[in-house]
Amino acid sequence: IIKTAEERARRLVDEDEITKKAKVQANEILSTAQSQARELKRAANEFSESILKNAEHGLVDAVNQIKNAKTAL
């Protein structure tokens, strides 16, 4: 009975260690994924801002050309 109890206790300790290691690894994976998500969002926002800024400049130039054409009439 004692031997069986000792074996069971060892298995439980081993399972607890496996669980702890899995939780640590899961936390590391989650942290990495969150960091990558933040970086991706930052890059996407930067890209979007650049595209919108270029579109704005193009529209301002177009409006100015229209105004100049109207003035020339």
Side-chain angles (χ1 to χ4, degrees), residues 1-12:
I1 294 174
I2 293 173
K3 186 176 182 179
T4 303
E6 288 174 344
E7 288 175 12
R8 186 165 190 269
R10 272 194 293 273
R11 280 196 310 267
L12 290 174

Side-chain angles (χ1 to χ4, degrees), residues 29-65:
I29 291 169
L30 181 60
S31 177
T32 299
Q34 289 171 335
S35 177
Q36 289 175 345
R38 281 190 301 272
E39 174 58 24
L40 182 59
K41 183 177 179 179
R42 184 202 62 74
N45 286 339
E46 186 177 296
F47 175 76
S48 296
E49 184 179 347
S50 173
I51 294 299
L52 291 172
K53 192 177 285 186
N54 287 339
E56 180 181 24
H57 289 304
L59 291 171
V60 167
D61 289 343
V63 168
N64 287 335
Q65 288 177 3

